[in-house]
Every structure is written in structure tokens, then in C-alpha cells.
Amino acid sequence: LDDWIIVTIDDEDAKDLDDAISVRMLENGDYEVLIAIADVAEYVTTGSAIDRMALKRSTSIYPSDGVIPMLPEALSHGVCSLHPGSKKAVIALICTIQQNGQTRMNEVFEATFESQARLSYREVQAMIDCQFAHTENQSAEVIDMLSFAYDAYTILKKTADERWKLQFWVDEYKVKFSHEKPVEIITRER
């Protein structure tokens, strides 16, 4: 996937970067979307002790003060994590979002790629707020790709609103700790 501009977008304090995205505009004005998920099976042998433990846990757990990863940290935060600067194995899917909001699944496949940037939700929101003006912090290619991603999101949101799609917006909370004791509960910003 070397010809795609691919980034991860997570909380600032995220350790396991397990998904990534890229969007590009096609000549007809539709959007081609690439979604990549870390391919843990490349690093964990089926039936191994690690695989059995992951099966028992079934997911990572996020208590207020951190994370209990499904896989050992060396894998979840390291080898399998989609950090920029190293090629990683992924399961990828490509779909098309048409201008009318229709989507079409194109293909699902195994691949490798290197993330171009590790972004936070806050950074991406700042780019949206400044209408993707080019800055020194990110390459023009990353900013242009995120602009396409936002355009595709806008199309999907409009068609979802037209179909009266029900959405639940529930506040999420985060507990701040000091010396392993809770000191404040704050609402996570969306």
C-alpha cells in the first residue's frame, strides 16, 4: 500500500494504534476509502499461549487509569501497533463512497504499509476548524487526504440524516489520577 497516504487517528494517550485510514478522490468525484486493521495473526501463532490468553480476554480493557491489553504490551503497543516509521502487516478493505452517499465494498485483503502520521482527534479537529489550511506540522499530502476524508464523512452524514438514522451521543468520562488516587472526573471532548 505504498501509494496510499495512510494515518492513524487516536486519543493523545493511546498506546495501541491498531487501525488506520486513507481517502482519495477519484476522477469522477467519488471517494475511495482504505481502512486498515493491524493483522495480529501475523505475529501470534494460532493455539499458542498468547493466542489462548487473548481468546480468554477477548478484548482490551480500559479502566480509568490505563489499559489492560488483550495481548502482551510488547505486541499490542509495539510489534502490532501501526506507528509511523515501520512497515506493518494489516488486513485492509477498500470501499467507494459515491457522491449520492451510496457505498460499495471493493475488496478485502492482506497487505503491508507504513503509516505517514500518528494523529490525535484533537489535531484532526483543529485541521477541520481551520479548513485544512496547510501548516508546518503536517505534510500537504496528509492534509489533502484528511480533507478528502472529511468530504466523504460529510456525504455519509448527510445521507444518514436524510434516512433519519438514529444516533446516540452519550458523554464519556475520564478519571484523572495523581499518585494512583483519583482526583478529578472530566467529560471527554468529542
Side-chain angles (χ1 to χ4, degrees):
L1 299 173
D2 294 337
D3 58 332
W4 288 81
I5 303 298
I6 304 172
V7 301
T8 60
I9 306 172
D10 291 279
D11 279 332
E12 285 94 348
D13 56 357
K15 305 269 191 294
D16 57 338
L17 310 177
D18 57 0
D19 51 30
I21 187 171
S22 184
V23 180
R24 55 189 180 192
M25 183 185 279
L26 301 174
E27 287 181 15
N28 65 0
D30 293 345
Y31 294 92
E32 192 171 43
V33 178
L34 169 78
I35 300 168
I37 308 293
D39 187 359
V40 176
E42 279 292 313
Y43 308 102
V44 177
T45 305
T46 302
S48 67
I50 292 173
D51 185 45
R52 289 191 309 274
M53 179 55 72
L55 186 60
K56 279 184 180 178
R57 287 188 178 168
S58 76
T59 187
S60 295
I61 302 165
Y62 297 90
S64 297
D65 60 343
V67 62
I68 301 169
M70 181 176 72
L71 296 171
E73 283 190 37
L75 289 172
S76 64
H77 300 170
V79 174
C80 299
S81 223
L82 306 177
H83 292 283
S86 63
K87 204 162 263 222
K88 300 294 179 159
V90 296
I91 302 293
L93 72 83
I94 295 177
C95 63
T96 301
I97 299 174
Q98 299 171 337
Q99 288 294 319
N100 65 5
Q102 295 294 314
T103 59
R104 184 182 74 242
M105 176 72 72
N106 297 349
E107 60 182 316
V108 177
F109 54 94
E110 295 178 352
T112 59
F113 79 89
E114 181 177 330
S115 172
Q116 276 79 36
R118 180 192 193 276
L119 303 174
S120 71
Y121 298 123
R122 193 174 306 279
E123 288 173 304
V124 174
Q125 186 62 55
M127 288 182 219
I128 292 168
D129 292 345
C130 73
Q131 299 178 347
F132 300 100
H134 292 262
T135 67
E136 296 174 12
N137 298 342
Q138 290 301 326
S139 71
E141 292 84 8
V142 167
I143 292 171
D144 290 344
M145 185 280 296
L146 290 170
S147 176
F148 294 146
Y150 187 73
D151 291 345
Y153 156 78
T154 302
I155 291 169
L156 290 177
K157 182 168 181 350
K158 180 178 184 278
T159 57
D161 290 346
E162 288 171 358
R163 290 190 313 258
W164 294 64
K165 181 180 175 186
L166 182 62
Q167 294 186 26
F168 293 97
W169 293 97
V170 179
D171 286 339
E172 291 182 34
Y173 299 95
K174 182 176 183 173
V175 179
K176 286 187 154 188
F177 285 81
S178 177
H179 306 289
E180 299 183 13
K181 293 184 180 181
V183 294
E184 183 180 9
I185 299 174
I186 58 172
T187 304
R188 285 185 184 261
E189 185 179 343
R190 284 201 175 274

